[in-house]
Amino acid sequence: MARDHSSPRRHRRTRHRRARTRPACAVALAAAGALLATLLTGPPAAAAERPMGHDVSSHQRTVDWARTKAAGARFVYVKATESTGYRNPYFAQQYDGAGGVGLLRGAYHFALPDQGPGKAQAAFFVRNGGGWSADGGTLPPALDIEYNPYDAHRRCYGLSRAAMVAWIRAFSDEVLRLTGRRPVIYTTTHWWNTCTGGSPDLAADHALWIARYSSSDTGALPAGWASWTFWQYADGGSLPGDQNLFNGSAEGLARFAKRA
């Protein structure tokens, strides 16, 4: 998922190399590699029958929403907050702009469980864009929880597995209290198994947004979930930001947005 600070995936440095003539075989290999990369990050076969969407943060800055809709987007999640002190400075343009062209849009919070209680982060999130209403155009709030991008030695933020489950539950309970909806949980199966011990305790009342790239399917899901609601299948493609699918029809997506 898109982060706004020192994310290893998002901060790619441009390396300037001296120009030189490459052998024809090297050029051919480079072209083949580029084609393969395009194929791997293109929409999976499932995209033909499911609504396509994406997620954005400050990295995408000002988005051309009319063009995005014309490219096939039907929904978008916009990063609103991180921890209890960061707000996406482009949130209003992104969130309101998406809604203005008729896209279903929702807000997400990037969790940093070592920087404050779940309840406090949820309250900050809702105050800064993470709300929900049954207007038919608003997706439920989402919690982005994944490996610590700021400290590779504390990938689970220094929390025990039981404490991590409790942190997520506290965040969810506060979002529910303030908005009337449980948050969608964005994660990977590997993170869930590692940092919650494969806990099945949250699956019954939370929709799953699973991340798995360069694959024809989502693979094994975290414990407790029998199906996914959103699938983030690539971190680049025809839409700005990360590429996603909804597991259902356009009508099902509309019902999911409106359902309390």
Side-chain angles (χ1 to χ4, degrees):
M1 185 77 80
R3 272 104 49 190
D4 298 278
H5 304 312
S6 56
S7 160
R9 181 166 57 130
R10 290 290 169 179
H11 284 242
R12 297 176 179 135
R13 295 182 181 177
T14 302
R15 296 173 180 166
H16 300 282
R17 297 186 176 91
R18 290 176 294 175
R20 61 185 181 183
T21 302
R22 293 188 293 173
C25 61
V27 173
L29 286 172
L35 176 60
L36 178 60
T38 299
L39 292 173
L40 288 175
T41 58
E49 40 194 71
R50 294 182 171 96
M52 294 179 60
H54 57 131
D55 57 87
V56 297
S57 71
S58 67
H59 292 284
Q60 284 68 47
R61 298 177 178 267
T62 300
V63 177
D64 184 338
W65 289 106
R67 183 176 181 180
T68 299
K69 184 177 182 180
R74 296 295 174 263
F75 67 90
V76 64
Y77 267 99
V78 180
K79 178 172 182 176
T81 52
E82 181 171 314
S83 185
T84 56
Y86 174 80
R87 295 177 291 179
N88 173 9
Y90 295 90
F91 179 79
Q93 189 281 337
Q94 294 173 342
Y95 190 85
D96 296 340
V101 300
L103 296 184
L104 295 177
R105 76 281 191 266
Y108 77 86
H109 174 79
F110 189 83
L112 293 178
D114 60 343
Q115 294 188 15
K119 182 177 180 179
Q121 292 197 29
F124 179 74
F125 172 48
V126 174
R127 285 198 308 270
N128 291 283
W132 175 79
S133 64
D135 58 3
T138 307
L139 292 167
L143 173 66
D144 175 358
I145 190 152
E146 54 186 275
Y147 287 119
N148 188 344
Y150 305 118
D151 188 345
H153 299 293
R154 301 176 76 248
R155 296 196 304 165
C156 298
Y157 304 92
L159 273 65
S160 69
R161 291 169 169 178
M164 183 64 76
V165 173
W167 191 98
I168 297 169
R169 176 59 72 181
F171 181 96
S172 175
D173 287 348
E174 185 67 359
V175 168
L176 176 64
R177 187 183 75 82
L178 294 172
T179 72
R181 287 292 296 263
R182 290 272 183 202
V184 176
I185 294 179
Y186 167 97
T187 194
T188 68
T189 299
H190 194 275
W191 184 91
W192 198 261
N193 289 340
T194 302
C195 296
T196 75
S199 172
D201 295 345
L202 295 158
D205 52 359
H206 292 83
L208 174 65
W209 183 358
I210 190 72
R212 189 174 193 237
Y213 298 169
S214 303
S215 177
S216 60
D217 58 43
T218 60
L221 299 179
W225 277 284
S227 64
W228 52 274
T229 299
F230 295 104
W231 172 19
Q232 186 186 88
Y233 63 85
D235 62 358
S238 61
L239 304 175
D242 302 316
Q243 313 296 291
N244 296 277
L245 294 176
F246 172 74
N247 192 12
S249 64
E251 293 77 14
L253 177 61
R255 288 193 298 270
F256 177 72
K258 199 168 185 178
R259 185 175 65 244

